[in-house]
């Protein structure tokens, strides 16, 4: 039998809602006409429960309010559990980050990249571009500069660290056969000259490096580099004092080093002759600075505390200790 259904939809509006009336007419042999009233179905929650046709409005409202209350309770319970778990995750994460030591393989790769990047400072300055070029030189992708989120300042600090290590090797060689340095002032002058000569290949771009080191986020590490430098010079020059002289010598030497460094940037003489003469004059004046600093007992006490804290902080920033071999 072939059936053909004609659906006629009529909408009637009542105060409680809408009913859909579907009239199905079957045409064929022995067919009869049937009228069916279809009650629209609604789904609630995730169980797909159907609203009964004979349910009163009050029953419907009571059931929905009950479901709403259950839903609110579930949300509150899940929210509390989520907050607790996230708090535990954050605590664990912060603890893990604090205790996690740097990966030696990653540190070695970073050292290789920075060493290679120094060759590109003259063409790209102290920048991420130089680091990217260095990474390509040692067969790492150029995006490896992402290992250095602070950018060019990390290349500057690396160079400063390498120069300080070379200075220590120089100081050890100079004092290897000596029980005592005969002229500590001359020894310190030569050490400063040696250290400044290491800047010559990058002197044209050193003002950029000084600008990066002077930025507030970079200043603590930069200051630590300078304080460590002069501390090493004083130590190998034979300074084993435990009184205020320990501090005044290092303050004076740090001032001499930085002023000579700035003078060197503007020196156009052959072999930086004017710079080394400037250094000699500053060393001669160092004794006068020392005498001035130790005249006042109050100034001595406060300066001793301040400088002592500064040198300790510098060593901690760089991860160094005071043991020398």
């Amino acid at each position: 039998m072939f059936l053909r259904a004609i659906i006629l939809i009529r909408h009637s509006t009542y105060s409680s809602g809408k009913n859909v009336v579907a009239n199905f007419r079957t045409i064929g042999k022995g067919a009869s006409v049937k009228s069916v009233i279809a009650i629209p179905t609604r789904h609630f929650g995730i169980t797909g429960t159907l609203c009964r046709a004979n349910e009163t409005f009050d029953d419907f409202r009571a059931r929905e309010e009950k479901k709403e209350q259950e839903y609110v309770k579930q949300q509150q319970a899940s929210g509390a559990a989520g907050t607790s778990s996230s708090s535990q995750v954050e605590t664990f994460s912060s603890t893990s980050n604090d205790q996690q030591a740097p990966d030696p393989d990653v540190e070695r790769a970073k050292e290789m990249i920075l060493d290679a990047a120094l060759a590109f400072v003259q063409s790209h300055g102290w920048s991420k571009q130089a680091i990217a070029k260095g990474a390509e030189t040692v067969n790492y992708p150029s995006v490896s500069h992402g290992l250095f989120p602070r950018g060019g300042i990390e290349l500057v600090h690396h160079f400063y660290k390498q120069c300080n290590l070379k200075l220590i090797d120089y100081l050890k060689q100079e004092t290897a056969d000596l029980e005592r340095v005969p002229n500590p002032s001359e020894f310190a002058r030569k050490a400063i000259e040696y250290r400044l000569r290491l800047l010559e290949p990058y002197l044209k771009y050193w003002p950029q490096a000084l600008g990066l080191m002077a930025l507030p986020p970079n200043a603590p590490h930069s200051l630590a580099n300078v304080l460590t430098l002069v501390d090493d010079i004083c130590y190998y020059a034979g300074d084993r004092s435990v009184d205020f002289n320990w501090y005044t010598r290092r303050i004076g030497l740090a001032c001499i080093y930085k002023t000579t460094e700035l003078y060197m940037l503007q020196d156009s003489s052959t072999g930086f002759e004017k710079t080394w003469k400037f250094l000699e004059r500053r060393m001669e004046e160092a004794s006068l600075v020392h005498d001035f600093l130790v005249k006042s007992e109050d100034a001595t006490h406060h300066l001793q505390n301040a400088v002592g804290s500064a040198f300790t902080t510098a060593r901690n920033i760089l991860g160094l200790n005071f043991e020398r071999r």
Side-chain angles (χ1 to χ4, degrees):
M1 181 189 302
F2 298 94
L3 302 179
R4 182 173 58 185
I6 301 176
I7 302 174
L8 302 177
I9 302 175
R10 298 178 181 176
H11 297 275
S12 299
T13 304
Y14 300 95
S15 59
S16 61
K18 294 182 179 180
N19 291 329
V20 180
V21 180
N23 294 330
F24 295 90
R25 295 181 178 178
T26 306
I27 302 175
K29 183 177 181 180
S32 60
V33 178
K34 296 182 180 180
S35 297
V36 181
I37 298 177
I39 306 298
T41 61
R42 296 180 63 186
H43 296 270
F44 305 98
I46 60 174
T47 58
T49 306
L50 301 179
C51 178
R52 296 183 178 83
N54 59 351
E55 186 178 38
T56 65
F57 181 76
D58 292 336
D59 294 338
F60 171 77
R61 184 174 62 181
R63 181 165 56 84
E64 290 301 309
E65 289 179 353
K66 183 178 179 181
K67 287 185 177 182
E68 184 67 23
Q69 292 175 359
E70 292 177 355
Y71 176 77
V72 171
K73 290 181 180 180
Q74 291 177 359
Q75 289 295 106
Q76 292 176 349
S78 62
T83 303
S84 176
S85 61
S86 63
S87 176
Q88 293 176 357
V89 169
E90 287 182 3
T91 303
F92 175 78
S93 177
S94 61
T95 304
S96 300
N97 290 337
D98 292 339
Q99 296 179 354
Q100 184 179 7
D103 189 343
D105 294 334
V106 174
E107 293 301 312
R108 281 194 295 269
K110 292 172 68 174
E111 290 283 331
M112 292 174 57
I113 293 173
L114 291 175
D115 284 339
L118 291 175
F120 298 94
V121 170
Q122 297 181 356
S123 57
H124 295 83
W126 306 93
S127 63
K128 282 187 176 181
Q129 288 75 15
I131 297 176
K133 290 292 184 180
E136 293 176 351
T137 303
V138 291
N139 299 323
Y140 284 96
S142 60
V143 294
S144 298
H145 67 75
L147 293 171
F148 312 94
R150 293 194 298 161
I153 188 59
E154 299 201 42
L155 183 57
V156 174
H157 288 327
H158 175 76
F159 173 69
Y160 219 112
K161 177 184 176 182
Q162 296 301 316
C163 290
N164 284 355
L165 293 176
K166 291 179 181 179
L167 173 64
I168 292 176
D169 292 338
Y170 167 81
L171 295 174
K172 287 181 178 180
Q173 293 177 3
E174 292 294 313
T175 57
D177 300 328
L178 298 176
E179 294 183 0
R180 183 176 181 179
V181 176
N183 190 342
S185 178
E186 181 64 15
F187 178 86
R189 186 196 66 77
K190 290 182 179 180
I192 292 177
E193 180 178 344
Y194 173 84
R195 177 61 178 80
L196 289 174
R197 286 189 180 278
L198 296 177
L199 303 179
E200 289 188 33
Y202 309 96
L203 196 61
K204 182 179 178 180
Y205 306 93
W206 195 240
Q208 180 194 4
L210 294 178
L212 291 173
M213 288 188 288
L215 294 175
N218 307 328
H221 197 127
S222 304
L223 178 61
N225 283 328
V226 176
L227 295 180
T228 303
L229 182 156
V230 297
D231 184 39
D232 289 331
I233 293 176
C234 288
Y235 178 84
Y236 285 100
D239 183 16
R240 304 293 190 274
S241 59
V242 294
D243 56 3
F244 185 65
N245 291 330
W246 191 95
Y247 304 96
T248 57
R249 289 192 181 100
R250 283 156 178 78
I251 291 176
L253 203 61
C255 293
I256 292 172
Y257 177 84
K258 294 307 293 184
T259 54
T260 307
E261 180 185 42
L262 295 175
Y263 188 94
M264 186 179 182
L265 294 177
Q266 303 176 1
D267 186 8
S268 58
S269 61
T270 304
F272 301 100
E273 294 180 1
K274 292 182 178 179
T275 298
W276 312 135
K277 290 181 180 179
F278 176 86
L279 175 60
E280 289 179 4
R281 293 193 298 270
R282 299 294 80 77
M283 294 300 296
E284 292 172 358
E285 296 169 356
S287 60
L288 299 177
V289 175
H290 176 269
D291 293 340
F292 173 77
L293 290 174
V294 298
K295 280 182 180 178
S296 172
E297 294 182 0
D298 291 337
T300 298
H301 176 71
H302 293 298
L303 190 58
Q304 180 176 355
N305 292 335
V307 178
S309 300
F311 276 92
T312 302
T313 303
R315 287 283 176 176
N316 292 335
I317 290 175
L318 299 179
L320 302 176
N321 54 39
F322 287 92
E323 296 180 0
R324 298 181 176 89
R325 298 179 181 178

